[in-house]
Amino acid sequence: MAHKLKVALLQETNQGSREANLDAIEAGLRRAAAAGAQLVLLQELHNGPYFCQHEDVAEFERAEPIPGPSTQRIGVLAQELSLVVVASLFERRAAGLYHNTAVVFDRSAQIAGRYRKMHIPDDPAFYEKFYFTPGDLGFEPISTSVGRLGVLVCWDQWYPEGARLMALAGADLLLYPTAIGWDPADETAEKERQRDAWVTVQRGHAIANGLPVLACNRSGFEAAPDGGRGIAFWGSSFVAGPQGEFIARAGDTGTELLLAEIDLARSEAVRRIWPFLRDRRIDAYADLTRRYRD
Amino acid sequence: MAHKLKVALLQETNQGSREANLDAIEAGLRRAAAAGAQLVLLQELHNGPYFCQHEDVAEFERAEPIPGPSTQRIGVLAQELSLVVVASLFERRAAGLYHNTAVVFDRSAQIAGRYRKMHIPDDPAFYEKFYFTPGDLGFEPISTSVGRLGVLVCWDQWYPEGARLMALAGADLLLYPTAIGWDPADETAEKERQRDAWVTVQRGHAIANGLPVLACNRSGFEAAPDGGRGIAFWGSSFVAGPQGEFIARAGDTGTELLLAEIDLARSEAVRRIWPFLRDRRIDAYADLTRRYRD
């Protein structure tokens, strides 16, 4: 009854230009396909540096329409290599209207679906509220030939609500393209707490929803354009199963093509022993739509 | 700016009778007070064995009113020892109407508040739906002299919704009296996955809500009254901080008084670097009150 799915997470460092990054992605997709992967998850905003370290209107030049040149290049590869690919782009929707958008291809150059990042962070060195309008497509899984993909993006990973809404809509997997890292000024113990929290909360979504979770994070140090301390992206991409168990883990530095095999049939087996969806108290959850219960 | 709170979790094995169990609890409360604890968390249904291993109407004899004899005995100790105590009882509310209820005392024999377990499990050897009417008091923290206590019970621990609703209502701590254990027939790897999932999902609630979590679990093997395999309660009670970091962990067998010091001021410090409550998409969460989004 096993239903195996071979996945690959392409954890990359910034190569210095869009073309160089897309060249590295193309090489990664070819390696993933050669290794038998059926689905490849790329990291957040993989076409360039993490430009949100400062607020500068010039950075909007990085945005592009969807469909556009990057989706065209990646789509052609998805078709040629017969891969499901989850990409992450800076979307120019209109003048003055931009999103942080994940795009899914299903073994075809056509776009199978998109997800616009719903929760937008803003804290020192992560000034995303300046760049990204919060998503308006809701939490909707994207149907593909390998299953329904519950694609979320980075800051979303801290929100049980997003994972739950994807699960309730029939997601088979939760997938997080991510760009998260350390402030080099933080102490080692604080750095470890942060990374461990990032891993743990996402494993928690796997457990609470009985679904595998894939998180693909950027790696490498990126200097701040404005003389700040920069960010040491911590890599540590991982795949967890529906009990939160680790299936594969990448290192915390450098490029890595993380391969893993997921048994999708295990999700239903786990949900039978732990039928959390059965017992949700939907009669008592109305206040989840309140800002605060004061 | 630290705001220290000394807590104790009394992880116990079943002693064979209500009087023996309450004697052990009294001894534990006295040790906790002598060690300087201000708050003591007891395990789920601490007055007896985990009787839900079978369905037998005779087990309803264990139920008692609240207030009743057990709350009287524990309340007197809470007052004498100047402790906040979180107890867990089989509540007889009316003939044919019973709950799995946590009761809080605030350095007084008076009951400060109660929480009736909202999510009720039912799976082999955990036949709780037979005994417990789902709670009707909602997810409301209980105010005490050491803070607002977000008391939840066992199966609730798998539900991010319960933890979130407590946080939104101003809880300062999340507390879980629990009785969870292994089926002795399961393989070691499965046992480890289960326990790790149980720890991880609760650490996830700490992280997602920026709050400390206390989980006090039963330990020891309890035979099945009906010739089943019994349950090996896995102990492993723990205290985690608002980034999910472990502050204290108990072993997986035997009685243990787990002491820990929590800095309540860290919750706000963590919420300032990770302001998850700020960015919740309450405009897009309405479907959380649906059974399934089909």
Side-chain angles (χ1 to χ4, degrees):
Chain A
M1 295 296 289
H3 175 191
K4 298 296 177 67
L5 175 66
K6 197 153 185 180
V7 302
L9 283 60
L10 184 56
Q11 172 178 304
E12 280 281 359
T13 55
N14 177 40
Q15 303 296 310
S17 74
R18 179 160 74 180
E19 285 317 295
N21 281 15
L22 284 169
D23 288 348
I25 287 166
E26 176 170 343
L29 292 177
R30 292 189 184 283
R31 279 188 293 145
Q38 299 157 270
L39 179 154
V40 183
L41 174 62
L42 304 179
Q43 73 201 28
E44 187 185 16
L45 300 170
H46 47 65
N47 276 5
Y50 182 71
F51 55 85
C52 313
Q53 285 202 59
H54 67 160
E55 297 192 1
D56 184 338
V57 291
E59 298 288 5
F60 287 102
E61 290 299 324
R62 298 181 185 277
E64 57 177 292
I66 296 173
S70 291
T71 60
Q72 181 163 5
R73 180 166 177 185
I74 296 168
V76 165
L77 289 165
Q79 180 165 322
E80 175 196 338
L81 301 170
S82 194
L83 288 171
V84 174
V85 179
V86 180
S88 168
L89 298 169
F90 185 14
E91 179 185 6
R92 182 188 182 283
R93 189 173 177 187
L97 184 57
Y98 307 83
H99 295 284
N100 185 325
T101 302
V103 184
V104 175
F105 301 91
D106 185 12
R107 306 179 183 189
S108 158
Q110 300 302 309
I111 292 171
R114 75 180 79 187
Y115 166 80
R116 293 189 179 123
K117 186 172 182 174
M118 290 287 284
H119 301 98
I120 307 294
D122 192 286
D123 48 275
F126 294 84
Y127 300 106
E128 296 198 17
K129 288 194 193 296
F130 177 67
Y131 295 105
F132 309 127
T133 301
D136 59 349
L137 299 177
F139 301 96
E140 302 293 341
I142 296 166
S143 291
T144 72
S145 55
V146 298
R148 289 171 66 74
L149 307 188
V151 179
L152 297 153
V153 177
C154 202
W155 193 238
D156 293 324
Q157 71 216 348
W158 303 101
Y159 292 84
E161 292 92 343
R164 181 68 98 200
L165 287 165
M166 287 295 191
L168 293 177
D172 297 302
L173 300 167
L174 299 172
L175 305 98
Y176 294 90
T178 301
I180 190 168
W182 290 304
D183 178 340
D186 275 337
E187 294 177 0
T188 301
E190 173 62 19
K191 289 178 179 174
E192 280 307 311
R193 277 196 299 274
Q194 291 185 6
R195 181 172 55 175
D196 198 28
W198 173 79
V199 170
T200 300
V201 77
Q202 292 178 90
R203 292 176 64 207
H205 304 329
I207 297 160
N209 295 291
L211 287 179
V213 167
L214 291 65
C216 184
N217 189 31
R218 179 182 291 253
S219 68
F221 177 75
E222 297 186 16
D226 62 354
R229 289 189 295 265
I231 303 173
F233 292 95
W234 66 50
S236 309
S237 302
F238 69 93
V239 178
Q243 289 172 303
E245 74 279 16
F246 286 114
I247 296 176
R249 307 178 74 174
D252 59 9
T253 57
T255 290
E256 192 163 337
L257 182 69
L258 184 70
L259 294 162
E261 191 172 74
I262 296 169
D263 180 0
L264 290 172
R266 259 187 57 72
S267 298
E268 185 156 0
V270 167
R271 285 186 181 182
R272 287 178 184 178
I273 63 164
W274 286 343
F276 307 141
L277 294 186
R278 180 192 64 191
D279 297 330
R280 293 177 69 243
R281 289 297 304 272
I282 55 174
D283 60 307
Y285 291 167
D287 279 359
L288 290 170
T289 60
R290 291 178 63 183
R291 181 65 63 207
Y292 201 65
R293 300 176 65 201
D294 51 7
Chain B
M1 297 292 290
H3 174 191
K4 298 296 176 69
L5 175 66
K6 197 154 187 181
V7 302
L9 283 59
L10 184 57
Q11 173 178 303
E12 280 280 1
T13 56
N14 178 40
Q15 303 295 311
S17 74
R18 179 159 72 179
E19 284 317 296
N21 281 14
L22 285 169
D23 288 347
I25 287 165
E26 176 170 343
L29 292 177
R30 292 189 183 284
R31 279 189 293 143
Q38 299 157 271
L39 179 154
V40 183
L41 175 62
L42 304 179
Q43 73 200 28
E44 188 184 17
L45 300 170
H46 46 66
N47 275 7
Y50 182 71
F51 55 85
C52 312
Q53 285 202 60
H54 66 159
E55 297 192 2
D56 185 338
V57 292
E59 298 288 6
F60 286 103
E61 291 298 324
R62 299 181 185 276
E64 59 177 292
I66 295 174
S70 292
T71 60
Q72 181 162 6
R73 179 164 178 188
I74 297 168
V76 165
L77 289 165
Q79 180 165 324
E80 176 196 337
L81 301 170
S82 193
L83 287 171
V84 174
V85 179
V86 180
S88 168
L89 298 168
F90 186 13
E91 178 184 7
R92 183 188 181 284
R93 188 172 177 187
L97 184 58
Y98 307 82
H99 295 283
N100 185 326
T101 302
V103 184
V104 175
F105 302 90
D106 185 12
R107 307 179 183 188
S108 158
Q110 300 303 307
I111 292 171
R114 75 179 81 186
Y115 166 81
R116 293 190 177 123
K117 187 173 181 173
M118 291 287 283
H119 300 98
I120 306 295
D122 192 287
D123 49 274
F126 295 84
Y127 301 106
E128 296 198 18
K129 287 192 193 296
F130 177 68
Y131 295 104
F132 308 127
T133 301
D136 59 348
L137 298 177
F139 302 95
E140 302 293 340
I142 297 166
S143 290
T144 72
S145 56
V146 298
R148 289 171 66 73
L149 307 189
V151 179
L152 297 153
V153 177
C154 202
W155 192 239
D156 293 324
Q157 71 216 347
W158 302 101
Y159 292 84
E161 292 91 343
R164 179 70 96 200
L165 287 165
M166 287 294 192
L168 292 179
D172 297 303
L173 300 168
L174 298 172
L175 305 97
Y176 295 90
T178 300
I180 190 167
W182 289 303
D183 178 340
D186 275 337
E187 295 177 359
T188 301
E190 173 63 19
K191 289 178 179 172
E192 280 307 310
R193 277 195 299 273
Q194 290 184 8
R195 181 173 56 177
D196 198 27
W198 173 80
V199 171
T200 300
V201 77
Q202 291 177 90
R203 291 176 64 207
H205 303 330
I207 297 160
N209 295 291
L211 287 179
V213 167
L214 290 65
C216 184
N217 190 29
R218 178 182 291 256
S219 67
F221 177 76
E222 296 187 17
D226 62 355
R229 289 189 295 266
I231 302 173
F233 292 95
W234 66 50
S236 309
S237 302
F238 69 92
V239 177
Q243 290 173 302
E245 74 278 16
F246 287 113
I247 295 175
R249 307 179 73 173
D252 58 9
T253 57
T255 291
E256 191 163 338
L257 182 71
L258 184 69
L259 294 161
E261 191 173 75
I262 295 169
D263 179 1
L264 290 172
R266 258 187 56 72
S267 298
E268 184 156 359
V270 167
R271 285 185 180 184
R272 288 178 183 178
I273 64 163
W274 286 343
F276 307 142
L277 294 185
R278 181 192 63 190
D279 297 330
R280 293 177 71 243
R281 289 297 303 273
I282 55 174
D283 60 308
Y285 291 167
D287 278 0
L288 291 170
T289 60
R290 292 178 63 184
R291 181 64 63 208
Y292 200 66
R293 301 175 66 202
D294 51 6

